[in-house]
């Protein structure tokens, strides 16, 4: 089978349509589905917990230059994160995905071509997931146990379809700093830290320099508030992601 070409990566059609000067207060362009309810097994925006813990999540990598810098920052502070990686980038940068695993991070599925999955049929959605799961498995020997849809765009029916067919809960977020608009490192850090509370899931992208520049302040701010940064699986109270066993079924 020939691999699909990567298209419409993060700054694709959706971002291009809203390009313009970054302003501090903007309505979310990447809208979460309106039917999301917290606590539903197939869809997670945040986790109800009394623990002072948050999940840092980084989408769209791995990036050959920026992701190692971020991994260094996390390692120096003993903090863990979850990386929602793009399958085609896993194929091109396998060593970085292996390093994520070795350093205690979680690797999740963010599709192969970064499409608007809500526009695709079930077979195409399954193929986006399976191709990426295979890529992650081929370099780490482990299967991702959570997924994040590009742009947060997955319908209620699709989320349940994936949950039942692939045991993949859809992980959305409770904090979106809109870092892909490049508002500046300081604003990214402010927005992320403003959302730190028990069970929060923080969204960011490890493919933008200002996001990486914001991270020392974000990581230190999390610690200063008395919080731990854990993986999504840990926040959900699951065993470590790499210890869970899921069978990759042929579709
Ligand atoms: Zn993305």
């Amino acid at each position: 089978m020939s691999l699909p070409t990567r298209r419409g990566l993060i700054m694709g059609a959706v971002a291009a349509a809203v390009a313009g000067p970054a302003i501090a207060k903007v309505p979310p362009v990447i809208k979460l589905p309106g039917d999301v309810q917290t606590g539903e097994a197939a869809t997670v925006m945040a986790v109800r917990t009394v623990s002072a813990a948050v999940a840092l999540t980084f989408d769209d990598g791995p990036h050959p230059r920026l992701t190692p810098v971020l991994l260094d920052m996390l390692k120096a502070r003993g903090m863990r994160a979850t990386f929602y990686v793009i399958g085609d980038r896993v194929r091109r940068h396998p060593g970085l995905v292996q390093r994520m695993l070795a350093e205690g991070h979680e690797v999740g599925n963010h599709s192969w071509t970064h499409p608007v999955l809500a526009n695709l049929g079930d077979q195409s959605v399954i193929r986006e997931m399976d191709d990426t799961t295979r890529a992650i498995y081929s370099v780490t020997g482990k299967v991702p146990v959570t997924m994040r849809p590009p742009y947060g765009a997955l319908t209620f029916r699709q989320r349940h379809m994936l949950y039942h067919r692939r045991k993949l809960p859809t992980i959305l977020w409770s904090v979106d700093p809109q870092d892909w608009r490049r508002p500046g490192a300081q604003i990214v850090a402010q927005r992320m830290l403003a959302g730190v509370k028990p069970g929060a899931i923080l969204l960011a992208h490890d493919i933008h320099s200002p996001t990486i520049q914001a991270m020392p302040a974000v990581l230190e701010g999390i610690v200063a508030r008395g919080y731990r940064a854990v993986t999504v699986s840990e926040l959900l109270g699951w065993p470590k992601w790499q210890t869970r066993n899921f069978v990759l079924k042929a579709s």
Side-chain angles (χ1 to χ4, degrees):
M1 185 192 75
S2 64
L3 297 171
T5 55
R6 184 169 53 93
R7 61 175 195 270
L9 197 58
I10 188 66
M11 295 306 281
V14 171
V18 298
I23 46 175
K25 273 265 176 187
V26 287
V29 173
I30 303 176
K31 268 191 177 171
L32 292 178
D35 58 342
V36 166
Q37 301 168 356
T38 51
E40 180 223 336
T43 315
V44 179
M45 291 174 71
V47 174
R48 201 167 298 182
T49 176
V50 294
S51 301
V54 296
L56 281 164
T57 64
F58 297 95
D59 292 6
D60 297 350
H63 185 284
R65 183 172 52 83
L66 297 175
T67 303
V69 176
L70 173 59
L71 286 169
D72 288 346
M73 291 175 181
L74 292 165
K75 187 177 185 181
R77 294 166 178 83
M79 298 170 90
R80 286 190 292 279
T82 301
F83 290 86
Y84 287 102
V85 294
I86 294 175
D88 187 46
R89 290 191 162 206
V90 172
R91 187 176 57 78
R92 286 187 285 149
H93 310 294
L96 286 174
V97 183
Q98 288 162 349
R99 184 178 166 193
M100 290 168 185
L101 177 70
E103 296 181 0
H105 306 296
E106 178 165 350
V107 181
N109 191 324
H110 195 48
S111 83
W112 188 270
T113 65
H114 209 272
V116 177
L117 294 171
N119 293 341
L120 301 184
D122 288 355
Q123 284 312 105
S124 300
V125 171
I126 288 282
R127 197 177 93 161
E128 287 276 340
M129 291 296 109
D130 284 358
D131 286 351
T132 303
T133 289
R134 283 192 190 93
I136 293 169
Y137 181 81
S138 74
V139 302
T140 65
K142 305 295 173 187
V143 172
V145 298
T146 61
M147 68 83 64
R148 169 168 289 153
Y151 317 107
L154 204 58
T155 67
F156 177 87
R157 192 194 61 75
Q158 288 175 314
R159 298 197 300 272
H160 282 261
M161 183 274 295
L162 270 186
Y163 188 66
H164 292 295
R165 288 181 63 178
R166 289 296 182 267
K167 300 278 191 288
L168 282 171
T170 298
I171 308 300
L172 299 171
W173 54 83
S174 57
V175 181
D176 176 7
Q178 300 193 28
D179 59 316
W180 57 272
R181 291 184 163 211
R182 297 173 178 255
Q186 201 181 342
I187 288 176
V188 169
Q190 282 169 6
R191 288 173 176 172
M192 290 182 76
L193 289 171
V196 170
K197 58 183 182 181
I201 297 176
L202 282 61
L203 168 69
H205 300 81
D206 54 329
I207 57 168
H208 302 305
S209 294
T211 300
I212 305 304
Q213 288 159 16
M215 282 307 123
V218 171
L219 301 181
E220 280 148 31
I222 289 171
V223 173
R225 285 161 175 73
Y227 279 73
R228 287 180 304 133
V230 300
T231 67
V232 166
S233 282
E234 288 171 313
L235 195 65
L236 287 164
W238 292 353
K240 284 191 173 174
W241 75 278
Q242 64 270 32
T243 66
R244 300 185 91 211
N245 255 329
F246 287 130
V247 176
L248 177 61
K249 286 186 263 181
S251 54

